[in-house]
Each structure stands twice: as C-alpha cells, then as structure tokens.
C-alpha cells in the first residue's frame, strides 16, 4: 500500500554535509502523521535522529541538535534531513520511518524504508 524511498546517502569527509530525502508513495495516503529518520551503526541499536509531525513539530536527538535540520514537503509526501558538520560518529545506515493515515476510519500504516548508508571519514 505504501512505500518509502530514500536517497542521498554517501561518503563525506568530517565537517561536510549531506542531504537525505524520503518520499512516501501509495494511492492510499491521506495524511502523513509523522515522518522521521533513525540510524543504526554496526553493532549498535537503532536510534532516533529526528522526526517531524503533520503540524510541523520537530524532534532531534541531542547528538545532532544544531547540526541537522529536518523539513517536509506536504504536497510531495517527502521529508528531508539536511546534515551539516558531519562527524565520523554519524556514520551509520539511516532509515526513514513514517506513520501515515490511509483510511477514513483512522487506519494507519507504519513502516521503514530500506535504509541508506552515510559514511563520514575522519
């Protein structure tokens, strides 16, 4: 019913920038309740990076505050994460997640994208 397509990962030097995008698609989408990004480094648990709600409220992990900015394009069902001042410890697979209203009866869909690799070299 719904698919999440991520793009924008890659290799960057410490201090550099990358922009990740995630687009939700599917004819059943009525409203994006929340979209966001999580990341998982090898041997570590998946952790929250940032989320944005349908009202535009944002949330950031302490480790990325002031460096990352999340935004959304409601018309395109897309969320973007601008990552500045990247550090080697930001290296991880970044996953998009979404909570989407798909039914007029309140039915929602939640799921993950396939992940995109971000590697920050020292």
């Amino acid at each position: 019913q719904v698919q999440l397509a991520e793009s924008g990962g890659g290799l960057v030097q410490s201090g550099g920038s990358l922009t990740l995008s995630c687009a939700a698609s599917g004819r059943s989408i009525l409203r994006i309740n929340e979209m966001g990004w999580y990341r998982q480094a090898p041997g570590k648990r998946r952790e929250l990076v940032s989320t944005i709600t349908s009202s535009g409220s944002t949330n950031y992990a302490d480790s990325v505050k002031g460096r990352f900015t999340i935004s959304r394009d409601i018309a395109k069902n897309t969320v973007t994460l601008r990552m500045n001042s990247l550090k080697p410890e930001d290296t991880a697979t970044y996953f998009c997640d979404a909570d989407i209203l798909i039914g007029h009866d309140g039915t929602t869909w939640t799921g993950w994208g396939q992940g995109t690799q971000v590697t920050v070299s020292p």
Side-chain angles (χ1 to χ4, degrees), residues 42-63:
K44 295 188 177 181
R45 298 176 62 180
R46 191 171 296 189
E47 63 178 8
L48 168 75
V49 177
S50 181
T51 59
I52 186 166
T53 69
S54 59
S55 63
S57 295
T58 59
N59 183 40
Y60 294 94
D62 288 342
S63 60

